[in-house]
Amino acid sequence: DIQMTQSPSSLSASVGDRVTITCRASQDISNYLNWYQQKPGKAPKLLIYDASYLETGVPSRFSGSGSGTDFTFTISSLQPEDIATYYCQQYETLSTFGGGTQVEIK
Amino acid sequence: EVQLLESGGGLVQPGGSLRLSCAASGLIFSDYAMNWVRRAPGKGLEWVSGISGADDSTYYAEFVKGRFTISRDNSKNTLYLQMDSLRVEDTALYYCVKDRGGYGPYHFDYWGQGTLVTVSS
């Protein structure tokens, strides 16, 4: 099984800050990685697919990069509506999610 | 607009069974792979199972293999998850999830609101 290690598990940042989340795969997954946002009480939403492509309708402050085993998700300027838990997901072999990163406003 | 509506959750004793259903609308159901993803209380997302839209191939996470069975009825636009030999650790909110293409699991672009399964004595 491919394990996905996401860090940090939680973070607190101010409005306007740059926020970065990392995800590491236990083996090479090329760019077969997506990022999701889950707000409290809501279903998850696909934000980034294939490591770096922005899903239609998603604000451009969200971005992703990386390939192989190391990936990064960035919010360039944190907004109050970005409060959520963010997950990476690999699909190189079946599918596995990272443990999640809870983002809060300081 | 794509809509996914899960049903069938509830309280069941360890070792028991449940059958989840997901009614899909707003799409040509047979064109797409479908999945079940769960979130246990206080934990993160876990992919559980998927089924291809192209050839009905099925896929399972190791922790449910041999206990859960995914299926679909394209004539009814409905996805199912038969859950047998349930364990306390299967307690979770179960989401029905559409894949972007006919094969998967790849990109999960539409999610239902979930149905709660509680396994407890």
Side-chain angles (χ1 to χ4, degrees):
Chain A
D1 289 9
I2 298 176
Q3 309 301 318
M4 305 301 294
T5 303
Q6 200 174 325
S7 61
S9 57
S10 65
L11 66 89
S12 182
S14 300
V15 173
D17 281 356
R18 184 180 186 88
V19 168
T20 299
I21 298 168
T22 63
C23 189
R24 175 164 288 176
S26 59
Q27 65 187 69
D28 190 338
I29 59 169
S30 185
N31 69 331
Y32 300 144
L33 183 108
N34 304 321
W35 291 94
Y36 297 83
Q37 174 193 64
Q38 185 172 29
K39 295 184 177 182
K42 300 291 188 182
K45 175 185 176 183
L46 177 62
L47 298 181
I48 303 285
Y49 65 95
D50 296 353
S52 61
Y53 295 90
L54 198 65
E55 183 74 352
T56 302
V58 173
S60 59
R61 65 180 180 275
F62 296 101
S63 65
S65 64
S67 67
T69 61
D70 293 313
F71 301 86
T72 301
F73 172 82
T74 300
I75 307 173
S76 61
S77 177
L78 185 67
Q79 300 301 305
E81 60 266 32
D82 300 336
I83 300 312
T85 301
Y86 295 84
Y87 295 92
C88 60
Q89 173 230 351
Q90 69 81 20
Y91 60 93
E92 198 281 338
T93 301
L94 298 179
S95 185
T96 317
F97 287 91
T101 297
Q102 189 170 358
V103 174
E104 299 175 339
I105 296 287
K106 192 180 292 182
Chain B
E1 180 189 1
V2 174
Q3 293 193 339
L4 303 171
L5 184 62
E6 304 95 337
S7 61
L11 175 63
V12 61
Q13 292 188 336
S17 298
L18 273 180
R19 188 196 199 200
L20 306 185
S21 299
C22 171
S25 60
L27 75 167
I28 301 174
F29 184 67
S30 58
D31 281 356
Y32 298 99
M34 298 294 296
N35 300 271
W36 291 98
V37 174
R38 71 186 186 185
R39 185 173 185 183
K43 297 198 173 181
L45 298 172
E46 281 189 310
W47 174 79
V48 174
S49 182
I51 184 167
S52 165
D55 59 10
D56 281 356
S57 296
T58 58
Y59 309 94
Y60 298 94
E62 200 61 39
F63 53 81
V64 302
K65 200 175 288 186
R67 299 189 299 123
F68 291 9
T69 303
I70 192 171
S71 62
R72 64 192 299 158
D73 185 336
N74 291 337
S75 68
K76 296 182 179 179
N77 285 3
T78 302
L79 175 72
Y80 302 100
L81 185 68
Q82 178 65 42
M83 310 166 67
D84 298 320
S85 302
L86 281 161
R87 305 168 179 169
V88 171
E89 55 265 35
D90 293 320
T91 295
L93 186 65
Y94 283 75
Y95 294 101
C96 171
V97 184
K98 171 189 168 292
D99 223 298
R100 180 170 285 155
Y103 294 94
Y106 295 155
H107 309 100
F108 301 158
D109 61 354
Y110 284 93
W111 297 62
Q113 289 304 307
T115 186
L116 183 62
V117 172
T118 302
V119 185
S120 174
S121 54

